[in-house]
Amino acid sequence: MTSAILISILMTLVAASTPILLAALGELVVEKAGVLNLGVEGMMLTGAVAGFAVAYSSGSTTLGLIAALAAGVATAMIFAVLTLSLTANQVATGLALTIFGIGASSLIGAGFVGRTITRLGPVFPEALAGHPLLRAVFGHDIVVYLSLALVLAVSLFLRKTRPGLVLRAVGENDASAHAIGYPVIAIRYGAIAFGGALAGLGGAYFSLALTPMWADRLTAGRGWIALALVVFAAWRPGRLLLGAYLFGAVMTLELQAKAAGITWLAPELLAMAPYLATIAVLTMMSLGRKTGRLDAPACLGKPFSAS
Amino acid sequence: MNQPREQEVPPRLALAHISKSFPGVKANEDISLSVRPGEIHALLGENGAGKSTLVKIIYGVQHADEGTISWDGETVSIPSPKAARRLGIGMVFQHFSLFDAMTVIENIALGLDEAVDREVLKARVAAILDSYSLPLDPERAVHTLSVGERQRIEIVRCLLQKPKLLIMDEPTSVLTPQEVERLFETLRQIASEGCAILYISHKLHEIKALCEAATILRGGRVVATCDPKLESTKRMAELMIGAELRQIEHKPGAGAGAVRLSVQDLSLAGEPPFGTDLEAVSFDARAGEILGIAGVAGNGQSELLTALSGERLASSPDAILLDGRPIGLHGAGQRRAAGLACVPEERNGHAAVPDFSLADNSILTARHRLPLAPLGFVARGDVLRFAQSVIQRFDVRTTGPGALARSLSGGNLQKFIMGREIGQQPAVLVVSQPTWGVDAGAAAAIRQELVDLAAKGSAVVVISQDLDELLELADRLCVLNEGRLSAPRAIASLGIDEIGLMMGGVHGAGESTGATHA
């Protein structure tokens, strides 16, 4: 009985963590390349609405996921053109991108409000996915496994491969990387596209897996949590995984409390918990500036123009 | 790689009638020069003489409008740095292309055009370090290394590509004398193996010590070629500047007067992540003297400057005394008002706001001692007059007080900033790297102003890495090493080797053992 409860807690925790894990992982790569894209929330929303619209029209969640990826990349490209090619301020552009994403997703999603689709199902056959114990391992959908594989892949990419080394170099000292002969702008375009793809995918996880139904501002500020998570993880993919699941746990507190029949604590307070945790983490990080500064890519947020 | 040095061997690199224009400027005009294999060839000239443009053309960063480049006798075009490296041209830039947070070996890997297996690369790097006796630990993070060690990374990067021509751009500007000597040994060994070296500098005694031929540029043209070993230093300097060299005049009668600035047991934690802690720094600066503080950058220079300027406060008021008054807890504005002026090393962004006009920049520090903003309202006319007077007195080449600080060249902005501070008649002037990146003519003018200021009874403290400058300017010299300041010594009693050893301090020991943390 207790194991069944634990497993069900685990399942909700993983599901809640996956979208922020994806979005944060994408943003981690972007920031490692020296770009601060605060538009994660906006990219998640355009991904969410595009994924839902395509899945609803075609009946295929796979097509929906692909559409979400593409929409995330497309939104990210707006940011990339503005900040890289036109050297607009990254912070302002990122904030604008979020506002744009909120508006665009509301507009596109207006006709879909309240519609439902078939939820993204588990990958493995019912015998495994429905097994009371084994479902803890085999009961997840494709995006969960993909997110875990991506954490490993990004970690290896950054630490072990030459392109990963070059990407870090661009984030560490763009002028030097340019002087040596690396295409700083092209590499940053690539990183931003990757970040957009993962943010779009993360957003679509809300509309295709968590709540297979469209509602306005579906992601509810999770993009900001993803941004905080990158700092919390000190730009390390392994710590990012840990952090995402920790935040996932905090986020599901409300549900768990309800399930456990706790009534003395207002559910609204528990719903606030992840945002309070975000503020707490960011405050702690800025207090411990000594480590925070060392970990951050040295060129983070600085515009670069080849002269 | 030993190649015969006979007349029939075509030059490794020959430039013929190279010209390059930028909008409004002819950077290079009809430049011809040739470098033989195994030759160390000096390219000599002031800032703005066209050296860097020429080198960028050779290294493929920029392209000549006219003229031809030939390589081992064949005419070639060099469209990109990659093409230059393929030909066998390696370049060590004045500003290193290094990544502080990464290790030496990662930095070297980044400098290569093709991916090399890490273990293979390690072995190749070890072989080069060994054959040139270069001490360098491949696993250390770059931010823990001294400037000399950082430069070695760049040299190893080049040597890995087995260069036939090595370009060194102002390689000694930040090295200690011992490091310079070591670099020269390395360069001589590289040249003896048949590699040609193009050595860019404006330090004449180095060129005399190292180079076999020199091409002197001025205003984008070749004004002379000579054998530096035969030519006199003075003559080369005059060719380079195009005028008689101004000697600094020390006014007689100036000398040790009353103590104007006294620092007692000043300690300050370094700024993370890479700062150096100041440990119980004590010194006196007297009226009429110039006190030199030598030392390699990163040994607490920036901390000392911020502690004196008031950007960071001392722990007690008595740690810093200005004319006997405790000012250790005064902020930067109060200290300026009291007469302690500071000029930090970084001009754009620290000493001046890049996007402000010169007039606005002069309000920022001069308002404390001059009535530029009485009752908080800017007196526009007085500000313009003050800025204009600085521009005239210090010969700042600019369009006027309305020009943005960022539009000035480094040397001109430095002249303006020095003028702004000296124009306030401070009791004490502390200046860091007063002539960093400034051409010889302007540097001489700035140094003369410092000497004149001291002669008028101010105390001047010069923090510099440039020993020649300190030997020329200072009356007494002390050395800042690892955040500790040595006792000052009269300049007359010191030999350059002795100062070099004091500067090298732990860095020097670290090089011989390869283990000490810099």
Side-chain angles (χ1 to χ4, degrees), chain B residues 209-269:
Chain B
L210 185 71
C211 303
E212 298 150 39
T215 299
I216 303 175
L217 296 187
R218 189 174 73 231
R221 293 174 146 274
V222 176
V223 289
T225 47
C226 65
D227 181 341
K229 294 207 164 38
L230 303 176
E231 197 66 72
S232 80
T233 317
K234 187 161 178 289
R235 175 82 192 123
M236 286 196 287
E238 284 167 3
L239 282 167
M240 181 166 91
I241 297 166
E244 292 274 313
L245 200 56
R246 241 169 87 185
Q247 288 296 322
I248 293 207
E249 301 161 31
H250 282 273
K251 290 199 176 128
V259 173
R260 302 214 72 172
L261 178 71
S262 174
V263 175
Q264 295 302 328
D265 284 331
L266 176 68
S267 295
L268 190 73

Side-chain angles (χ1 to χ4, degrees), chain B residues 154-173:
Chain B
E154 293 276 16
I155 294 174
V156 171
R157 271 181 181 171
C158 289
L159 291 178
L160 273 172
Q161 333 229 0
K162 302 192 175 63
K164 294 178 182 167
L165 172 70
L166 185 61
I167 304 172
M168 303 288 299
D169 188 5
E170 306 259 354
T172 60
S173 48

Side-chain angles (χ1 to χ4, degrees), chain B residues 460-509:
Chain B
V460 178
V461 179
V462 178
I463 304 171
S464 178
Q465 298 191 67
D466 186 341
L467 266 188
D468 294 338
E469 170 169 274
L470 291 174
L471 291 175
E472 190 178 349
L473 277 180
D475 302 298
R476 291 187 303 152
L477 189 70
C478 40
V479 174
L480 190 60
N481 187 34
E482 301 267 304
R484 282 184 291 268
L485 192 71
S486 72
R489 307 254 312 256
I491 207 97
S493 70
L494 276 174
I496 193 157
D497 286 350
E498 213 175 336
I499 305 168
L501 285 172
M502 286 158 77
M503 275 172 75
V506 176
H507 281 313

Side-chain angles (χ1 to χ4, degrees), chain A residues 122-130 138:
Chain A
V123 198
F124 293 101
E126 183 57 24
L128 285 171
F138 296 107

Side-chain angles (χ1 to χ4, degrees), chain B residues 77-298:
Chain B
S77 76
I78 306 175
S80 69
K82 232 172 193 165
R85 288 193 290 262
R86 261 200 303 276
L87 279 177
I89 302 175
M91 176 151 177
V92 175
F93 288 90
Q94 184 181 9
H95 301 287
F96 307 145
S97 305
L98 295 178
F99 306 93
D100 280 358
M102 299 187 177
T103 63
V104 170
I105 196 86
E106 283 180 326
N107 269 281
I108 292 174
L110 280 165
L112 299 177
D113 284 330
E114 76 285 2
V116 176
D117 180 74
R118 201 181 162 91
E119 294 306 315
V120 175
L121 183 63
K122 265 188 196 164
R124 284 173 59 191
V125 168
I128 285 177
L129 291 176
D130 192 47
S131 71
Y132 292 93
S133 322
L134 294 169
L136 191 64
D137 177 0
E139 296 300 335
R140 283 264 294 272
V142 168
H143 66 81
T144 66
L145 301 178
S146 72
V147 187
E149 287 171 305
R150 289 174 195 218
Q151 187 176 57
R152 275 175 222 147
I153 303 176
E154 293 276 16
I155 294 174
V156 171
R157 271 181 181 171
C158 289
L159 291 178
L160 273 172
Q161 333 229 0
K162 302 192 175 63
K164 294 178 182 167
L165 172 70
L166 185 61
I167 304 172
M168 303 288 299
D169 188 5
E170 306 259 354
T172 60
S173 48
V174 288
L175 301 185
T176 62
Q178 279 79 5
E179 285 176 321
V180 168
E181 205 35 62
R182 172 146 239 158
L183 171 71
F184 283 7
E185 279 166 32
T186 309
L187 291 180
R188 287 192 189 106
Q189 188 184 346
I190 294 170
S192 74
E193 288 161 5
C195 179
I197 295 176
L198 196 57
Y199 186 90
I200 297 153
S201 182
H202 56 244
K203 293 191 179 172
L204 298 159
H205 61 274
E206 288 180 358
I207 285 172
K208 270 184 101 68
L210 185 71
C211 303
E212 298 150 39
T215 299
I216 303 175
L217 296 187
R218 189 174 73 231
R221 293 174 146 274
V222 176
V223 289
T225 47
C226 65
D227 181 341
K229 294 207 164 38
L230 303 176
E231 197 66 72
S232 80
T233 317
K234 187 161 178 289
R235 175 82 192 123
M236 286 196 287
E238 284 167 3
L239 282 167
M240 181 166 91
I241 297 166
E244 292 274 313
L245 200 56
R246 241 169 87 185
Q247 288 296 322
I248 293 207
E249 301 161 31
H250 282 273
K251 290 199 176 128
V259 173
R260 302 214 72 172
L261 178 71
S262 174
V263 175
Q264 295 302 328
D265 284 331
L266 176 68
S267 295
L268 190 73
E271 282 267 23
F274 306 134
T276 309
D277 296 344
L278 288 183
E279 289 169 39
V281 167
S282 300
F283 66 87
D284 287 339
R286 295 168 181 278
E289 80 163 348
I290 298 183
L291 175 71
I293 296 182
V296 178

Side-chain angles (χ1 to χ4, degrees), chain A residues 28-260:
Chain A
L28 185 143
V29 172
V30 175
E31 292 191 9
K32 271 289 182 190
V35 178
L36 182 65
N37 185 353
L38 293 181
V40 177
E41 177 80 358
M43 298 187 294
M44 286 178 89
L45 278 168
T46 52
V49 76
F52 188 86
V54 168
Y56 182 82
S57 321
S58 69
S60 158
T61 41
T62 313
L63 281 182
L65 288 175
I66 293 169
L69 268 170
V73 174
T75 318
M77 279 304 108
I78 300 175
F79 176 84
V81 169
L82 288 172
T83 57
L84 298 182
S85 300
L86 305 174
T87 58
N89 179 290
Q90 292 181 8
V91 170
T93 311
L95 293 174
L97 195 72
T98 288
I99 298 168
F100 168 77
I102 292 170
S105 64
S106 281
L107 180 70
I108 299 167
F112 296 102
V113 175
R115 306 274 171 91
T116 55
I117 54 164
T118 331
R119 180 195 292 264
L120 189 63
V123 198
F124 293 101
E126 183 57 24
L128 285 171
H131 188 280
L133 286 178
L134 289 180
R135 76 187 186 106
V137 179
F138 296 107
H140 306 287
D141 54 62
I142 180 77
V143 180
V144 171
Y145 298 113
L146 182 69
S147 70
L148 294 174
L150 278 169
V151 170
L152 187 66
V154 167
S155 174
L156 289 177
F157 171 79
L158 288 176
R159 281 186 301 126
K160 298 282 181 192
T161 70
R162 183 175 166 83
L165 181 65
V166 173
L167 182 121
R168 281 193 288 138
V170 166
E172 205 55 55
N173 189 339
D174 46 18
S176 287
H178 173 72
I180 292 176
Y182 293 112
V184 173
I185 298 292
I187 289 167
R188 288 189 170 168
Y189 261 103
I192 292 174
F194 179 78
L198 290 205
L201 197 61
Y205 197 76
F206 280 95
S207 58
L208 300 182
L210 286 178
T211 53
M213 173 179 109
W214 180 253
D216 227 16
R217 304 190 73 161
L218 189 63
T219 55
R222 297 295 200 267
W224 299 108
I225 293 181
L227 277 165
L229 205 54
V230 178
V231 183
F232 171 77
W235 293 267
R236 293 192 192 108
R239 273 178 70 170
L240 190 74
L241 179 66
L242 190 79
Y245 280 29
L246 204 69
F247 268 88
V250 179
M251 280 185 280
T252 50
L253 270 181
E254 186 196 353
L255 293 174
Q256 311 298 358
K258 212 178 278 174

